[in-house]
Amino acid sequence: MWTIGDFPRAAKLVLVMLDKGWFDDAVGRVEGSKILKNLMASDDLRKEIVTLDIVAMLERKLEIGDCNEIRMILICVDILWNGNSSGKSSELSGIVTNSLARLRDKDVKIQKRGVKTLSSLAQTEAGEKVIHEHVIEIVKMLLPRSDGSRPPYSQLFGPTAAVYNLCKNETLRHQIQQSKEFAEFKLLRHDGALFPQTRATRSMN
């Protein structure tokens, strides 16, 4: 039975356990995800966890974590930000905004980190809702700049890969394909005014 004084200490312990991957595997016959969900059943505990530096940890895991780590982080995102949980979408929005900045980076390795984070978050209901607010901004990265110049090919990898992966989500795909920005992109691509055809760009019809 939790008491008021237990929540701050428990929240710090849960954060450490998440960071170290202690929920990634089963404990005996009980899946770590089930243990985490049982712990997070407390509104007060969730509130304490969100006040800690969990967003930075989640972002780091989404960028560089392995499949098991990412699976657990997505479960955590669902617990903290879906339904009547205590998390605020503004916290997830910060992760998405940082990912957009990575897509604009000149370094392809940095762009890949942004693609990985966005692609993972799109698999959750909460992540999809936040990405929905920014997805057209990603499509705009594929278009010529306001002065008419085109970004170098190396800077188009991240946005192209992000749009390709986000189109696997039905809601986001519909939003992308119905936008005037995507219509402009298709026209320019058809005319060969952007970059050579690739598997990713061919699939975005």
Side-chain angles (χ1 to χ4, degrees):
M1 187 71 175
W2 297 104
T3 64
I4 296 299
D6 290 332
F7 294 119
R9 294 193 301 272
K12 291 178 182 178
L13 178 59
V14 170
L15 186 62
V16 170
M17 294 171 72
L18 273 169
D19 197 20
K20 292 183 178 295
W22 290 3
F23 296 109
D24 294 354
D25 301 309
V27 179
R29 294 184 177 182
V30 183
E31 286 291 331
S33 58
K34 185 174 181 180
I35 296 173
L36 178 62
K37 288 176 181 177
N38 289 339
L39 286 172
M40 296 282 207
S42 165
D43 287 339
D44 291 315
L45 181 59
R46 289 201 303 270
K47 288 177 183 177
E48 286 291 341
I49 289 174
V50 171
T51 63
L52 301 176
D53 196 22
I54 191 170
V55 174
M57 187 271 289
L58 295 178
E59 186 171 11
R60 174 168 49 81
K61 291 274 191 179
L62 287 171
E63 287 187 349
I64 64 175
D66 60 27
C67 292
N68 280 338
E69 288 177 311
I70 291 175
R71 180 180 67 88
M72 187 51 55
I73 291 307
L74 295 183
I75 290 173
C76 188
V77 167
D78 269 330
I79 293 171
L80 289 174
W81 282 281
N82 275 355
N84 55 356
S85 63
S86 306
K88 297 178 180 178
S89 62
S90 59
E91 293 148 348
L92 275 185
S93 185
I95 295 180
V96 172
T97 300
N98 289 342
S99 297
L100 296 183
R102 286 166 175 71
L103 294 184
R104 295 187 180 94
D105 199 279
K106 295 179 180 179
D107 190 333
V108 172
K109 291 181 179 179
I110 301 298
Q111 294 177 40
K112 286 181 178 179
R113 288 166 59 182
V115 173
K116 186 177 180 181
T117 298
L118 292 170
S119 302
S120 298
L121 280 179
Q123 299 175 45
T124 69
E125 182 181 346
E128 176 195 298
K129 288 179 180 178
V130 176
I131 293 172
H132 180 83
E133 301 171 3
H134 300 274
V135 71
I136 301 306
E137 188 175 345
I138 302 174
V139 179
K140 288 180 178 179
M141 295 180 193
L142 299 172
L143 300 175
R145 296 163 176 160
S146 57
D147 62 0
S149 64
R150 303 171 190 168
Y153 290 158
S154 61
Q155 286 186 255
L156 293 173
F157 167 81
T160 302
V163 171
Y164 172 69
N165 285 319
L166 294 178
C167 278
K168 296 175 183 178
N169 176 293
E170 183 177 357
T171 300
L172 296 176
R173 180 173 67 250
H174 179 77
Q175 182 188 7
I176 290 170
Q177 293 180 338
Q178 295 302 312
S179 69
K180 60 182 178 59
E181 290 82 3
F182 190 69
E184 181 181 353
F185 165 78
K186 288 201 297 182
L187 180 62
L188 291 171
R189 188 197 62 177
H190 181 269
D191 292 342
L194 288 177
F195 40 74
Q197 288 278 328
T198 66
R199 178 190 172 196
T201 57
R202 282 196 302 268
S203 67
M204 295 187 297
N205 290 314

